[in-house]
Amino acid sequence: METRAILRYVRITPRKARLVIDLIRGRRVEEAMAILVHMPRSAARVVKKLLRSAVANAEQKNMNMDELKVAGAYVDQGPTLKRFRARAMGRGNTIKKRSSHITLILSEEEKK
């Protein structure tokens, strides 16, 4: 059995979020939470909150909390906000403020 939590339109670039997600993919929930708590990146706070939400979803499905692991985790690119910045000699540059859609999938570990 598996459960998922999805966080959409997060104002963090997908490239930065993937650095955090790659560290917790395939790990047990307790271990993943410990990694996120001690990580200095700003994306870690967002992913930690999402992981807590996924664990709460698993509780609602009466899954065994001791055997939960992060079965899948991925980051997709969301819409990009395009902004304008004035430059020298009347020119302008665009600034792209990227957003992300983050998905976490938790499942129970199979007993051997």
Side-chain angles (χ1 to χ4, degrees):
M1 184 180 262
E2 70 178 28
T3 185
R4 68 178 58 215
I6 302 171
L7 184 58
R8 296 187 181 272
Y9 306 105
V10 184
R11 268 285 294 122
I12 198 155
T13 64
R15 186 175 180 177
K16 292 177 183 178
R18 284 185 192 112
L19 291 172
V20 175
I21 288 291
D22 290 342
L23 290 174
I24 65 166
R25 189 181 295 119
R27 297 184 188 262
R28 302 190 72 219
V29 169
E30 299 87 16
E31 188 180 352
M33 191 64 77
I35 290 170
L36 293 173
V37 166
H38 294 96
M39 183 174 284
R41 294 189 173 273
S42 62
R45 286 196 317 248
V46 174
V47 174
K48 180 175 63 171
K49 202 169 183 180
L50 184 62
L51 182 59
R52 285 183 184 155
S53 175
V55 169
N57 293 345
E59 275 185 29
Q60 290 296 313
K61 287 187 171 183
N62 295 324
M63 296 172 73
N64 188 357
M65 295 296 126
D66 297 330
E67 297 177 1
L68 282 181
K69 72 171 190 171
V70 181
Y74 54 91
V75 180
D76 296 323
Q77 185 168 346
T80 302
L81 299 173
K82 295 179 178 90
R83 296 294 180 256
F84 171 82
R85 173 129 186 175
R87 305 305 287 176
M89 299 196 310
R91 294 189 181 110
N93 286 357
T94 57
I95 295 175
K96 295 178 183 176
K97 299 189 176 216
R98 301 180 190 277
S99 66
S100 304
H101 302 315
I102 305 173
T103 305
L104 282 180
I105 302 169
L106 301 183
S107 68
E108 292 177 321
E109 290 181 305
E110 295 86 23
K111 294 182 180 175
K112 297 175 183 171

